Amino acid sequence: MPFLDRPLLDDRIRAALRDGSVALHGSLGYGKTTLLRSALRGLEAPVARYDTAPWERDRFASALVDAIAAVRPDFGRRTRALAATNAGPETLAYAFAADLGPARAPLVIAIDDAGDLAADADFRSFLQTLAGAAPVEVCFVVASRRETASLLGALIEIDEADLRFSSDEVARLTGSSDDALVRRIVEA
């Protein structure tokens, strides 16, 4: 599958991650995952990437800890212990924030395909609490088919209107100079 660089969107995401969080949402096929990978490539801060799965509904905290431990091996002792006791989402979020706290080093937490969990009340409560309690050096980017900006207090929100390809991008991607064809694709 061809890849189309989208430097303006990459730059918007990177700039927002210097100061806060990003919510990225759109329907299936809008290129959220591809854009996320592109924008996160080459960041100075380490990136912990968590691709959600529907079967993790009851164990998302442990799965997220695993993703962060991949870039910070010392992370998650308190959160893991509480997750094993079936603690509530707010308690888990505060433990998670405390586990993030001592390092005081920049970190980007990227949660992709959050749509599988975004409707879950516990996951939403966990994210909302965590976004308010996490150290300022920790930024979030959440890609989902559902709106998540309100959960994160996101600095920027990128939605379907932003993700829709322009005529120039469609022409470059297809290699077509047929204006009528490009217009039909853009309007589809």
Side-chain angles (χ1 to χ4, degrees):
M1 180 171 155
F3 177 74
L4 180 67
D5 286 326
R6 304 196 71 193
L8 295 177
L9 286 176
D10 287 350
D11 290 346
R12 277 183 63 196
I13 292 171
R14 288 180 191 134
L17 287 175
R18 283 191 284 275
D19 299 316
S21 298
V22 177
L24 174 64
H25 62 90
S27 298
L28 178 67
Y30 267 76
K32 298 175 298 295
T33 297
T34 302
L35 177 61
L36 185 62
R37 284 186 184 132
S38 175
L40 297 177
R41 194 176 311 126
L43 286 179
E44 290 181 22
V47 176
R49 189 179 165 103
Y50 168 48
D51 295 320
T52 69
W55 55 85
E56 292 173 344
R57 186 172 305 276
D58 295 328
R59 52 174 230 94
F60 61 81
S62 296
L64 188 52
V65 166
D66 291 343
I68 294 170
V71 296
R72 285 196 181 160
D74 60 335
F75 176 78
R77 190 181 78 245
R78 283 175 268 212
T79 307
R80 283 185 202 281
L82 281 171
T85 68
N86 294 322
E90 293 88 3
T91 301
L92 286 173
Y94 285 120
F96 197 98
D99 281 341
L100 288 168
R104 290 289 182 213
L107 175 69
V108 174
I109 298 174
I111 303 174
D112 196 7
D113 286 334
D116 290 333
L117 296 177
D120 182 73
D122 285 348
F123 181 73
R124 294 178 70 83
S125 179
F126 173 83
L127 261 189
Q128 194 166 30
T129 303
L130 179 58
V136 296
E137 298 86 359
V138 176
C139 298
F140 298 87
V141 58
V142 177
S144 175
R145 291 184 195 158
R146 300 170 189 248
E147 185 276 327
T148 57
S150 60
L151 296 177
L152 298 169
L155 184 60
I156 70 161
E157 180 177 0
I158 295 177
D159 60 16
E160 287 184 4
D162 299 305
L163 295 170
R164 193 168 287 119
F165 286 119
S166 69
S167 296
D168 290 341
E169 289 172 326
V170 169
R172 280 190 306 163
L173 188 60
T174 62
S176 176
S177 59
D178 181 345
D179 288 341
L181 172 64
V182 169
R183 240 186 337 276
R184 281 197 312 266
I185 293 171
V186 168
E187 293 169 1

